[in-house]
Amino acid sequence: GGGGGGVVCSRPVRSSPPVPLPKHGEVSLPKGGCVYDFVCAPAALLDTLAHEPLLVELWHTDKYAADSLLGIATVDLAELIGVSPRALGRTAAAAGGGGGGGGGNSG
C-alpha cells in the first residue's frame, strides 16, 4: 500500500462560552459537536486515526489573568469506531446545570 499523504486538521475547536467544571465532575459542552466528512477507504481512515489522536485541552479562564493550560488528554479515535455512545451520568447532568465554580474551557 501507499503511504500517507492525508491532510490532518489541527485547528482548535473551543467551547463558547467557557463551561464551569466542578472538581472531579463531568459536563456537557454546549455546541460541543463537530462533523467531519472523510472521503477515503475505511482502512486508510483507521490508519490515520490510529496515528493522529485527538488532543483535548482543558484551560482555566479568568478575566483578570492570562488563560492557563490545566491539562491535555489524548483520545484514540480508532478505538471509538463502532462503540455505542453513552449518556452522561445523573451527577454530571446536575453539575452541568448549576452556576458558579471555576471556568473551564476546552478547545
Side-chain angles (χ1 to χ4, degrees), residues 50-61:
H51 291 92
E52 298 291 339
L54 173 67
L55 299 179
V56 179
E57 298 178 347
L58 179 65
W59 289 81
H60 178 267
T61 59

Side-chain angles (χ1 to χ4, degrees), residues 5-74:
V7 176
V8 177
C9 178
S10 62
R11 185 178 65 86
V13 177
R14 303 191 82 142
S15 62
S16 182
V19 178
L21 177 65
K23 193 171 190 174
H24 305 294
E26 291 182 1
V27 294
S28 293
L29 297 177
K31 302 177 190 171
C34 294
V35 176
Y36 295 95
D37 292 324
F38 296 96
V39 181
C40 63
L45 175 61
L46 286 173
D47 184 60
T48 300
L49 293 178
H51 291 92
E52 298 291 339
L54 173 67
L55 299 179
V56 179
E57 298 178 347
L58 179 65
W59 289 81
H60 178 267
T61 59
D62 186 323
K63 63 182 177 178
Y64 301 110
D67 294 351
S68 57
L69 179 63
L70 298 178
I72 300 175
T74 302

